[in-house]
Amino acid sequence: MASDTAAGVPEAPAAPKSRRSVTGTRRTVAALFLLPALLLLGALVVYPIGYSVIRSFYDQSGGGFAGFDNYRALFTDDGIRTALKNNVIWVVFAPTVATALGLVFAVLTERIRWGTAFKLVVFMPMAISMLAAGIIFRLVYDQDPDKGVANAVWVGVHDTFAESSAYPKAHPGRESPLEAADGGAFVTKGTVRVGDTVTLPLVGVAPDLIPDDAERAAAPKPEPDRITGTTWQDFTRGKGVGTLNGVDADESGYPGMRIEAVRDGTVVETTTAAADGTFSLSSEADGARLRLPASNFKEPYNGLDWLGPSLVTPAVIGSYIWMWAGFAMVLIAAGLAGIPRELLEAARVDGAGEWQVFRRVTVPLLAPVLAVVTVTLMINVLKVFDLVFIIAPGSSQDDADVLALELYRKGFSEDQPGIASAIAVFLLLLVIPVMWFNVRRLRREARR
């Protein structure tokens, strides 16, 4: 052996040692530990994906090959096309608004004393399940302002600037001196003259809806150079009409009722009834007809139909933003904490205002975090189902339809598993590029 070595014959290489991972674990042992997880991954993820791809090429019975017919239906079926359109709206607006609100909240909570408590309140909806959030917002968007918070606020703001009438159901009774006019108004059948007294009786207002400042109606008193009159509720609870077109002792006036004197189609004078329903017009109204304009009988404003066909998708997106803005805020706040304060102070020393510091320093430094949050929410909204299914009522659920909901409908309600599988594959294809972008960005950030 010594001579062979001396002669330049190399020694036989030693047997390779079993490689170990960075942590010192043998690869075989690591593979055995990973095997259960890989089996579960294959059974719960890989197999369903593969089966859905295969099933998407078969007809509804599963016995005949349909080719790309199911995928063609994605762009020809009206319900699926509506779902596609709504998904585009979701992807464009929901992540953008949620991320923007999260950024604003994260920046502002650094400047207020109770920032941690505020973050807790904003993040709290994340602890609520989608089912519970859907039920909450189904009540929030209730049409009745006495039940729905959204319409209660909206009606309150509206009535602050345009108060509705107290007499929406009022109308002339039997043998009334009033007749219907265009647009919901009522007008006297004849003209009035100076010195006349005019009675304008109405019925139809529930006694409990009479304004609180209403007093007992008073009969008009004649004045030689004016036109006087009374407008009142010609009905007494428990007694009925009483004296037809005559003022009785227990009948209420219509305070605030507007009366117009109209001559040749032109309003020559306007007045308002007092608490006892009496009113007075000058000689300018001589020869005119008296009109109770339609504004006296305007129905109470009942708010917006939040869950109607035109607003149901924005309404559901609003509930999603309520839940996920806290998620965006927490991630952005973590990124904001990592920004060197020296850069912000240097920008302020150089004369930059707070808006310039935010726009030119804070936002660019947070760009990677903002991108991750936005992309994550985009993946999330592509799969949204619960909120739409629970919040949108049956009458407008077609208008709020999204791909995940349409998948459920086709697969379970309409018994079209082929089209449902095609929708599932299509959703997967939409999610994969976004996931790839997110993973690629995370790896890039990890290398820095």
Side-chain angles (χ1 to χ4, degrees):
M1 291 294 295
S3 59
D4 291 340
T5 303
V9 178
E11 293 183 1
K17 294 182 179 180
S18 177
R19 293 189 177 182
R20 294 175 178 267
S21 67
V22 175
T23 58
T25 307
R26 295 178 184 273
R27 288 188 174 182
T28 305
V29 176
L32 289 175
F33 274 103
L34 289 174
L35 185 59
L38 293 174
L39 291 175
L40 283 175
L41 185 67
L44 300 178
V45 178
V46 178
Y47 173 74
I49 291 175
Y51 181 79
S52 296
V53 172
I54 295 171
R55 188 65 184 82
S56 67
F57 290 103
Y58 283 84
D59 59 19
Q60 309 316 315
S61 65
F65 186 74
F68 287 93
D69 290 347
N70 293 326
Y71 289 95
R72 194 176 295 112
L74 299 181
F75 304 97
T76 57
D77 183 276
D78 289 339
I80 302 177
R81 289 169 63 182
T82 300
L84 277 170
K85 180 195 72 174
N86 287 336
N87 264 100
V88 171
I89 295 173
W90 272 89
V91 169
V92 171
F93 290 101
T96 305
V97 176
T99 304
L101 284 177
L103 175 61
V104 172
F105 291 156
V107 172
L108 292 181
T109 50
E110 285 201 331
R111 299 173 176 271
I112 61 177
R113 183 176 181 182
W114 300 96
T116 303
F118 180 81
K119 287 180 181 178
L120 178 64
V121 171
V122 175
F123 188 75
M124 195 177 296
M126 283 293 298
I128 303 174
S129 69
M130 288 283 196
L131 173 64
I135 294 172
I136 290 171
F137 274 86
R138 183 67 181 267
L139 296 174
V140 167
Y141 292 132
D142 194 287
Q143 179 69 39
D144 187 353
D146 293 332
K147 299 178 182 177
V149 175
N151 263 343
V153 174
W154 190 266
V155 169
V157 173
H158 174 274
D159 288 350
T160 301
F161 300 98
E163 188 175 356
S164 59
S165 169
Y167 315 107
K169 303 294 183 182
H171 60 86
R174 293 182 290 114
E175 302 177 16
S176 174
L178 293 166
E179 62 182 5
D182 294 337
F186 300 106
V187 65
T188 56
K189 295 176 181 178
T191 58
V192 295
R193 294 291 177 182
V194 171
D196 289 350
T197 57
V198 185
T199 55
L200 305 178
L202 295 169
V203 295
V205 180
D208 56 336
L209 296 181
I210 295 290
D212 294 336
D213 59 340
E215 298 178 359
R216 289 185 178 181
K221 297 179 180 179
E223 297 183 20
D225 56 347
R226 300 186 68 83
I227 300 167
T228 57
T230 301
T231 177
W232 80 101
Q233 171 91 334
D234 192 17
F235 184 89
T236 304
R237 180 181 290 181
K239 297 182 180 179
V241 175
T243 305
L244 185 62
N245 297 327
V247 179
D248 293 316
D250 294 330
E251 294 174 344
S252 299
Y254 280 159
M257 180 72 75
R258 186 180 178 192
I259 300 99
E260 297 175 341
V262 182
R263 186 190 304 119
D264 299 327
T266 304
V267 177
V268 295
E269 190 173 356
T270 302
T271 189
T272 302
D276 59 0
T278 58
F279 62 89
S280 176
L281 294 164
S282 70
S283 58
E284 291 291 328
D286 186 56
R289 299 173 72 184
L290 301 189
R291 181 175 67 186
L292 303 179
S295 58
N296 290 318
F297 315 106
K298 185 171 58 177
E299 292 284 345
Y301 183 65
N302 204 36
L304 295 175
D305 187 7
W306 295 101
L307 300 182
S310 58
L311 289 177
V312 63
T313 295
V316 180
I317 290 176
S319 66
Y320 176 89
I321 293 170
W322 176 76
M323 289 192 68
W324 288 87
F327 167 82
M329 177 196 67
V330 169
L331 293 187
I332 295 171
L336 197 61
I339 294 179
R341 300 301 166 189
E342 297 80 6
L343 295 177
L344 304 179
E345 294 302 325
R348 294 188 181 100
V349 169
D350 289 340
E354 290 302 321
W355 171 246
Q356 291 176 311
V357 171
F358 174 76
R359 186 166 60 93
R360 297 184 178 276
V361 180
T362 304
V363 173
L365 291 175
L366 286 175
V369 178
L370 296 176
V372 170
V373 172
T374 304
V375 172
T376 302
L377 293 179
M378 287 174 65
I379 296 172
N380 188 269
V381 299
L382 282 172
K383 304 178 294 180
V384 70
F385 165 80
D386 331 51
L387 290 176
V388 180
F389 183 72
I390 297 166
I391 296 176
S395 58
S396 58
Q397 200 168 82
D398 288 342
D399 300 283
D401 203 6
V402 289
L403 286 174
L405 178 58
E406 191 64 17
L407 186 156
Y408 169 81
R409 284 176 159 186
K410 296 296 185 187
F412 297 97
S413 299
E414 301 177 17
D415 195 22
Q416 299 184 40
I419 295 180
S421 299
I423 295 174
V425 174
F426 183 67
L427 271 176
L428 178 65
L429 294 176
L430 290 177
V431 169
I432 285 176
V434 185
M435 290 180 62
W436 174 81
F437 174 82
N438 213 15
V439 172
R440 187 166 175 266
R441 177 172 284 278
L442 287 172
R443 287 180 176 175
R444 189 186 304 129
E445 291 299 318
R447 287 196 297 265
R448 290 182 179 179

